[in-house]
Amino acid sequence: MRTVQLQRVPWLEISRPMQRPEIPEETYARHLSTLRDRLRERGLDCIAIYGDREHYASFKYYLGFEPRFEEGLLVIYQNASRESAVLLGNECFCMGKYARIPVRSVLCPYFSLPGQPMDGFVSMEKCLREAGLEKGMRIGLAGWKLIGTRHCDDPAHTFCVPSFLVESLREVVGFESLTNATEVLIHPRNGLRVVHDVHEIAALEYGAALASEGMRAAWKGLACGKREMEIAACMQTYGQQLSCHVMFASGENTRKGLVSPGFRVVQLGDPISMSMGLEGGLSCRGAYAAQREDDLPEGQRNFAEEVACPYYRAVAEWYETIGIGVSGGALYDIVQKRIPHESYGWKLNPGHLISYEEWLSSGIAPGNRDHFCSGMLVQMDIIPSVAPFVSPNAEDGICLADEVLRVQIQTLYPQMWERFMQRRAYMREYLGICLKEEVLPMSNLAGRYSPYLLDLDQAFAVTG
């Protein structure tokens, strides 16, 4: 078995992308066309896609914008001769004219903020009828969460959207005419959103790269005597869309879960958890504010040997295993074999699909036979929990690209291609992680991890 050891490792010096590529009209037209084909296969007259401030990704995938402050509903008909519609509240209504697909805007007071003017108020049902919905139409309602028989007895009629919307839709089209269609969009096997084209990858790589640079800045800005919020300030977003809130926690705050940065002063030996996520990728690190093992609290000084080394071995094997045609179950088995969850305490899927949202869905589960495909973005997300130690974390994402897609990237986005090649070479030459040719790291930090965050020249590497 190859070994893992700490050694002096230079940082990857790479220029960040200076401009986010725009997704072209033909991509949005393809989204619309493939959706209509899927509706036809499912026997649905239309799909209604719900979105709100946090759960906006499917909505944005088709329109190119998301509801901010408010909620929205996109109605797309199988029959291209019928005009699609988007229901928006007061503050987002003006955005409808900038939609990237042909769509008619319907002002929907129900989607406005609490207490806003309701002059000329119309009911939710009337708004839905104005959007073109009629009694007896077969409607698929897409929320943001997959619901199966493990969750309820009737998943086809259970929805992860506000109840007032479900009730209004049932009033308009009938109870049996409304069915859950979320899986059409995000199922890890054949959801329409789980595979991205070259232009979408370029836009999302921008966010992933920027997030990793923010994480690098926080890592290098970490110092004892600084407050959590001071270090978190290093993670510049440049005004880009966050896929989750910025996190930096130290000491006892790391035990509290997904907390925001506070005013605690970092001390030598503190456990540290920090992450930054933008559309396309999240980078996270969990380790200690320390230079060496002697800086750690008593009882935790064997962290590197007992927890971090086995963890990193699993991380490296995850990176080297994933590829086109690999099943989610096979990837799960790799992690379970190296660091069994019974001993290492990880509870979530050891990886998941990513897109505009930080967690799209995941097929990385026991026995899952769904295979990874070209165009998928996958997050390496293994988080052990072994008391009393900090949870080690080296989370970043990759893109899977077959030969056709790699040629497209190289031709259309040569600077992104160069970044991919630099990241691959860095992981191979300095970290000892050899990726399959179709695996393209989205993050400038992919594979770099040290249990001692204050020793900036030190990182784990695979040898032998």
Side-chain angles (χ1 to χ4, degrees):
M1 184 186 301
R2 297 157 71 199
T3 60
V4 168
Q5 63 182 25
L6 282 169
Q7 56 189 48
R8 296 299 165 191
V9 178
W11 290 76
L12 171 61
E13 297 303 329
I14 184 171
S15 59
R16 69 174 179 86
M18 301 306 295
Q19 185 171 344
R20 184 184 64 225
E22 290 295 326
I23 298 175
E25 298 298 330
E26 55 263 31
T27 293
Y28 288 98
R30 178 182 56 79
H31 291 173
L32 188 57
S33 175
T34 55
L35 177 59
R36 284 180 167 142
D37 290 342
R38 187 65 61 86
L39 295 178
R40 196 170 297 113
E41 293 170 7
R42 293 283 296 264
L44 295 172
D45 294 307
C46 81
I47 189 169
I49 301 172
Y50 173 79
D52 61 26
R53 177 62 191 88
E54 186 166 3
H55 311 113
Y56 66 86
S58 292
F59 190 97
K60 180 173 182 175
Y61 181 80
Y62 291 98
L63 289 175
F65 71 90
E66 71 279 358
R68 299 191 171 191
F69 298 119
E70 307 175 328
E71 300 162 288
L73 188 73
L74 172 61
V75 177
I76 296 177
Y77 292 94
Q78 180 209 118
N79 189 339
S81 66
R82 296 198 63 139
E83 187 177 29
S84 297
V86 59
L87 284 67
L88 297 166
N90 289 335
E91 298 202 53
C92 292
F93 184 71
C94 64
M95 295 293 293
K97 60 188 173 186
Y98 301 108
R100 303 296 295 275
I101 61 173
V103 68
R104 177 169 55 90
S105 298
V106 175
L107 180 60
C108 181
Y110 263 96
F111 288 156
S112 300
L113 292 175
Q116 286 195 349
M118 292 290 181
D119 299 339
F121 175 81
V122 293
S123 68
M124 189 78 229
E125 291 82 1
K126 186 173 181 180
C127 290
L128 293 170
R129 292 189 179 99
E130 187 179 343
L133 299 182
E134 301 172 358
K135 197 75 172 179
M137 277 187 172
R138 295 159 297 175
I139 310 299
L141 178 57
W144 66 278
K145 186 178 294 187
L146 293 173
I147 298 174
T149 53
R150 293 178 302 166
H151 310 108
C152 63
D153 294 332
D154 186 14
H157 296 100
T158 304
F159 307 93
C160 191
V161 301
S163 62
F164 75 82
L165 178 56
V166 175
E167 292 164 4
S168 296
L169 282 164
R170 285 173 171 166
E171 176 67 25
V172 172
V173 303
F175 185 94
E176 292 298 331
S177 294
L178 185 67
T179 185
N180 193 327
T182 308
E183 66 177 22
V184 167
L185 303 180
I186 67 169
H187 194 282
R189 180 178 66 254
N190 58 5
L192 295 176
R193 290 190 47 230
V194 303
V195 171
H196 306 81
D197 73 9
V198 64
H199 307 294
E200 294 168 298
I201 291 168
L204 294 169
E205 188 266 348
Y206 173 84
L210 210 61
S212 67
E213 283 302 294
M215 176 54 49
R216 180 206 296 249
W219 191 341
K220 291 189 172 184
L222 174 64
C224 297
K226 285 187 176 181
R227 296 187 183 275
E228 292 175 349
M229 58 178 297
E230 292 181 77
I231 301 166
C234 297
M235 294 187 256
Q236 296 187 49
T237 67
Y238 296 94
Q240 300 307 297
Q241 184 82 306
L242 288 166
S243 61
C244 68
H245 63 285
V246 170
M247 288 178 270
F248 185 94
S250 64
E252 64 272 12
N253 288 339
T254 62
R255 314 295 182 188
K256 298 177 182 178
L258 304 178
V259 296
S260 296
F263 298 92
R264 187 182 181 281
V265 175
V266 174
Q267 302 172 36
L268 186 66
D270 272 349
I272 300 292
S273 178
M274 53 184 176
S275 66
M276 177 178 174
L278 299 174
E279 291 182 338
L282 175 140
S283 291
C284 183
R285 292 299 181 272
Y288 286 91
Q291 291 269 359
R292 59 189 68 84
E293 66 177 39
D294 291 345
D295 296 333
L296 272 56
E298 286 191 28
Q300 299 180 45
R301 291 175 182 168
N302 58 340
F303 171 70
E305 179 182 352
E306 295 295 323
V307 181
C309 276
Y311 166 72
Y312 192 78
R313 186 176 292 114
V315 167
E317 195 160 354
W318 189 102
Y319 276 122
E320 294 187 333
T321 299
I322 194 168
I324 295 170
V326 174
S327 70
L331 199 57
Y332 179 95
D333 290 344
I334 288 292
V335 180
Q336 174 65 8
K337 179 180 179 181
R338 293 297 175 217
I339 49 170
H341 69 82
E342 295 87 353
S343 303
Y344 286 85
W346 50 272
K347 298 182 177 71
L348 304 180
N349 311 63
H352 53 86
L353 299 176
I354 195 167
S355 184
Y356 292 112
E357 63 268 71
E358 196 275 326
W359 187 302
L360 190 153
S361 62
S362 181
I364 305 177
N368 190 289
R369 297 182 180 181
D370 298 337
H371 292 86
F372 292 105
C373 304
S374 178
M376 286 184 171
L377 307 183
V378 192
Q379 192 80 350
M380 196 296 299
D381 186 3
I382 312 168
I383 311 175
S385 179
V386 182
F389 304 103
V390 69
S391 292
N393 198 326
E395 184 176 348
D396 288 294
I398 59 97
C399 169
L400 294 175
D402 61 15
E403 185 176 0
V404 172
L405 182 53
R406 294 199 299 272
V407 170
Q408 290 177 336
I409 294 171
Q410 192 171 7
T411 303
L412 298 175
Y413 298 98
Q415 292 180 335
M416 177 172 68
W417 175 257
E418 179 59 27
R419 290 192 293 274
F420 281 144
M421 293 302 100
Q422 287 180 274
R423 294 167 188 149
R424 283 176 54 87
Y426 176 81
M427 293 180 74
R428 181 182 65 251
E429 295 169 15
Y430 293 102
L431 304 179
I433 298 175
C434 299
L435 305 174
K436 295 175 181 176
E437 61 180 352
E438 67 264 33
V439 179
L440 307 177
M442 297 280 281
S443 164
N444 296 343
L445 290 178
R448 186 179 183 102
Y449 179 73
S450 172
Y452 313 123
L453 295 172
L454 296 181
D455 188 343
L456 295 176
D457 298 325
Q458 184 175 244
F460 275 131
V462 180
T463 60

